[in-house]
Amino acid sequence: MIITDTHTHLYSEAFDEDRNEAVQKAIDLGVNRFFIPAIDSTYTDSMLALEKEFPDHMFLMAGLHPTHVKENFEQELSHVEEMLGKHTYYAIGEIGIDLYWEKKYLKEQQIAFRKQIQIAKKHKLPIVIHCRDAFDEVFEILEEEKGDDLWGIFHCFTGTYEHAEKAISYNMKLGIGGVVTFKNGKIDTFLNKIDLKHIVLETDSPYLAPTPYRGQRNESAYIINVLEKLAGIHGVPNEEVALLTTGNSKDVFGI
């Protein structure tokens, strides 16, 4: 059973004490593929070091996280372009709009999101979207940029069934993680209506640990809990969920 974690920040400071052990624990459970989203330029070196340590398992993304979009975002986007010319990346992410914490940089987030979509198209790469309290704003830009050259993952999907259908219409897979196990997560009430061909698994570790680890540091090994919950929702064996979602990840990332 090969499982793919399509979104995990294993380079995060949260893993500084036991990173190799956390990775090996996941590998031992069948998690063989880890896709690593970027935050900003300050994490580039630690991402490259993680890939060097586990070259057969780690697949990096380049991008500027919306909550890190500030006055210097143009400089950060130049760094993204520079790294794309130096190294192999498998997606532009995570990118998008986040209005949960503040709306001060909404305009800059919109510009950065659009520019990074265009960078992805230029390099023929998928995008990985971060959306928090910003479905309308994200969908507005996706509507303007939609086409055969736009595809990817709607990471940490927490919207409604209608949001899910709309995201899928823009060639996006739904990234399903720990929220599906939460009592108040709500997405478990309609995911049975979403064909598994539209779904990929993720953890977003070290964030959003699934039940029964909620409130603790999340890690890629806990993707098993997400997989089991999804298998229960769809009434299929765990192995089928692993097979289909890993296949979906290959369709997105091309590897």
Side-chain angles (χ1 to χ4, degrees), residues 61-119:
M61 308 181 204
L64 176 61
H65 192 293
T67 62
H68 287 243
V69 171
K70 309 297 181 189
E71 291 88 349
N72 71 333
F73 78 94
E74 293 280 9
Q75 182 182 337
E76 284 287 335
L77 295 187
S78 294
H79 176 75
V80 171
E81 291 259 38
E82 178 189 352
M83 292 309 299
L84 286 166
K86 290 181 175 180
H87 197 77
T88 299
Y89 290 92
Y90 296 91
I92 302 299
E94 60 189 282
I95 65 175
I97 299 176
D98 188 314
L99 301 179
Y100 177 77
W101 299 105
E102 63 176 5
K103 299 182 180 180
K104 179 181 178 182
Y105 293 104
L106 171 59
K107 182 181 177 183
E108 289 84 354
Q109 286 190 43
Q110 289 169 318
I111 294 169
F113 184 32
R114 188 185 305 277
K115 285 194 172 186
Q116 289 184 97
I117 288 174
Q118 291 165 357
I119 289 170

Side-chain angles (χ1 to χ4, degrees), residues 7 129 131 153-159 175-177 179 202 204 208:
H7 202 106
I129 298 172
C131 173
I153 295 172
F154 213 104
H155 147 66
C156 189
F157 182 79
T158 55
I176 302 300
V179 172
E202 63 169 63
D204 199 19
L208 292 172

Side-chain angles (χ1 to χ4, degrees), residues 181-192:
T181 70
F182 297 171
K183 284 185 177 178
N184 61 348
K186 298 181 182 177
I187 60 172
D188 61 315
T189 62
F190 64 78
L191 277 181
N192 64 317

Side-chain angles (χ1 to χ4, degrees), residues 164-215:
E165 291 283 276
K166 197 162 188 176
I168 290 166
S169 77
Y170 294 124
N171 296 330
M172 298 295 143
K173 306 291 187 193
L174 307 182
I176 302 300
V179 172
V180 75
T181 70
F182 297 171
K183 284 185 177 178
N184 61 348
K186 298 181 182 177
I187 60 172
D188 61 315
T189 62
F190 64 78
L191 277 181
N192 64 317
K193 296 192 285 185
I194 304 291
D195 195 299
L196 283 170
K197 69 182 180 182
H198 300 302
I199 290 174
V200 293
L201 302 181
E202 63 169 63
T203 58
D204 199 19
S205 65
Y207 315 107
L208 292 172
T211 304
Y213 307 105
R214 191 171 184 183

